[in-house]
Amino acid sequence: MKIVEGGLDNPMVTKLLHEHLAQMHENSPVGSVFALDTSALRAPEIQFWTAWEDNQLMGCGALKAVTKQRAEVKSMRTHQKHLRKGVAAKILEHIMTEARLSGFKILSLETGSGEAFEPALELYRKYGFTQGEVFGGYLDSDFNQFFHLALDRRRSKAF
């Protein structure tokens, strides 16, 4: 699997992101979807990557700078044909590495609740993310969950 930066102009990527947004709206209450569309993913504070095997799109993910210390995982999505092949883990590892290289101390994310979100939650917990406080201007709700990972392992878990 090869992870490359960019790809927002590729129709396969655009289709995957549209499917991601549609599923988020299907599985989330009104006002609780914070997934980004392709135009929002072009913002200067966001880095976006796609995962490929040969010419097949396997997944995507992004890193958004929130503050000088904190970055956020955005738009993690595995193509339906490549579920349970380790794609999301490879993308998350790449995002974590890039966040460390960029000097961020905390990597955070916002996600939903319910059965549709369980595979993602399992992955984030496996990589050491712990549930915590709201961040980055999000509004806390019964549906949304916020997870954080200290990128410097010596750092306290207080966020």
Side-chain angles (χ1 to χ4, degrees):
M1 178 185 330
K2 182 177 180 181
I3 297 178
V4 297
E5 189 165 6
L8 290 168
D9 293 321
N10 185 309
M12 288 185 283
V13 174
T14 302
K15 182 179 178 194
L16 181 63
L17 289 168
H18 284 297
E19 290 169 0
H20 177 60
L21 282 170
Q23 186 182 26
M24 293 301 100
H25 284 283
E26 286 173 18
N27 293 293
S28 306
V30 174
S32 294
V33 175
F34 301 104
L36 302 178
D37 63 16
T38 55
S39 63
L41 287 166
R42 294 178 193 280
E45 67 272 14
I46 296 177
Q47 293 175 275
F48 179 80
W49 295 277
T50 49
W52 300 86
E53 189 167 86
D54 299 320
N55 291 325
Q56 289 191 30
L57 175 63
M58 299 184 80
C60 63
L63 178 69
K64 178 182 178 183
V66 178
T67 67
K68 287 184 178 183
Q69 299 288 312
R70 182 186 308 269
E72 178 182 6
V73 176
K74 295 296 290 183
S75 300
M76 285 275 299
R77 183 68 175 191
T78 300
H79 192 287
Q80 185 70 27
K81 291 180 182 177
H82 300 289
L83 293 173
R84 300 291 181 214
K85 294 181 180 178
V87 175
K90 290 290 184 190
I91 293 170
L92 183 59
E93 289 169 4
H94 185 84
I95 289 170
M96 291 167 61
T97 297
E98 290 294 326
R100 282 187 182 100
L101 291 172
S102 296
F104 294 108
K105 303 298 181 202
I106 301 168
L107 187 57
S108 298
L109 62 95
E110 176 278 334
T111 192
S113 299
E115 187 178 331
F117 296 91
E118 284 305 316
L121 292 167
E122 182 180 323
L123 175 71
Y124 299 136
R125 288 181 182 118
K126 176 183 172 186
Y127 277 86
F129 284 83
T130 56
Q131 195 164 3
E133 298 295 317
V134 65
F135 71 97
Y138 287 106
L139 297 176
D140 199 4
S141 76
D142 291 338
F143 178 76
N144 300 93
Q145 300 184 66
F146 306 95
F147 286 81
H148 310 281
L149 175 69
L151 293 173
D152 179 353
R153 297 283 183 210
R154 295 166 294 172
R155 183 182 168 89
S156 162
K157 289 198 174 201
F159 301 110

